[in-house]
Amino acid sequence: MDVKHIWTDADFDDMGWHDNRLYSLSFPDENFEFSLDIDYIFKWVQPTDISFQFWVSPCTLVFENVIDLKIDIDFSNSITISIIGVERSRDRMSPNGKAVMWKYAIETDKGILTFLSTGFRQYVRDNPRLIDSQDLGRAEQYKKRDD
């Protein structure tokens, strides 16, 4: 499967993060960037039997100009976290009036992350692979990140 290697907020309506495994968060830095390392599912495939296969790539999702970050996550009795969905709504113009500030809500199976951002870039770190699982696993996630 061939995909473009950088996706942006202009692609939001064509993207979906349901069941994407979340491995790590990098909190906003001096550039106001907030990033997530995920396994992005590009496509679900149902062969002739009842099981699914998935086209999956390790990706880094970077939100730009992030403010008002709130995280409500409960890891009790769990070691993994998956995204249920990402919602966005227009909130207001930036203080300088040059950019739209979107309100993002990333719902996970362990809680929710909310923040304001001017947009995002999602970097595909390796070509998608067809696998029997919805995630590649932590070893693959970090191997491709360090290459």
Side-chain angles (χ1 to χ4, degrees), residues 78-98:
S78 181
I79 58 169
T80 65
I81 184 169
S82 294
I83 297 171
I84 294 172
V86 177
E87 301 289 329
R88 77 171 180 181
S89 58
R90 184 178 171 147
D91 190 70
R92 62 180 181 243
M93 294 302 291
S94 62
N96 66 5
K98 295 183 179 184

Side-chain angles (χ1 to χ4, degrees), residues 7-17 86-88 104 120:
W7 297 70
T8 71
D9 49 291
D11 300 304
F12 183 85
D13 292 335
D14 296 324
M15 300 177 78
W17 290 269
V86 177
E87 301 289 329
R88 77 171 180 181
Y104 284 91
F120 67 85

Side-chain angles (χ1 to χ4, degrees), residues 50-132:
I50 60 170
S51 64
F52 280 91
Q53 291 183 305
F54 309 89
W55 285 99
V56 182
S57 286
C59 294
T60 300
L61 178 57
V62 180
F63 290 91
E64 303 160 335
N65 303 305
V66 171
I67 58 172
D68 297 340
L69 174 64
K70 295 176 184 70
I71 298 175
D72 185 8
I73 301 288
D74 183 353
F75 261 96
S76 300
N77 303 314
S78 181
I79 58 169
T80 65
I81 184 169
S82 294
I83 297 171
I84 294 172
V86 177
E87 301 289 329
R88 77 171 180 181
S89 58
R90 184 178 171 147
D91 190 70
R92 62 180 181 243
M93 294 302 291
S94 62
N96 66 5
K98 295 183 179 184
V100 172
M101 295 296 296
W102 295 94
K103 181 174 184 176
Y104 284 91
I106 301 175
E107 184 181 357
T108 75
D109 58 343
K110 306 294 182 281
I112 193 162
L113 301 89
T114 60
F115 51 90
L116 296 176
S117 170
T118 57
F120 67 85
R121 296 175 319 278
Q122 181 168 295
Y123 299 96
V124 179
R125 297 196 317 265
D126 196 13
N127 290 324
R129 291 190 307 179
L130 184 63
I131 59 174
D132 293 332

Side-chain angles (χ1 to χ4, degrees), residues 126-145:
D126 196 13
N127 290 324
R129 291 190 307 179
L130 184 63
I131 59 174
D132 293 332
S133 169
Q134 292 174 315
D135 62 74
L136 297 166
R138 187 173 293 276
E140 283 295 313
Q141 182 63 225
Y142 289 102
K143 182 177 100 176
K144 296 302 177 187
R145 183 179 185 181

Side-chain angles (χ1 to χ4, degrees), residues 35-62:
S35 65
L36 299 85
D37 286 325
I38 64 174
D39 282 341
Y40 187 79
I41 302 171
F42 281 96
K43 186 174 183 179
W44 296 46
V45 179
Q46 186 172 17
T48 55
D49 62 4
I50 60 170
S51 64
F52 280 91
Q53 291 183 305
F54 309 89
W55 285 99
V56 182
S57 286
C59 294
T60 300
L61 178 57
V62 180

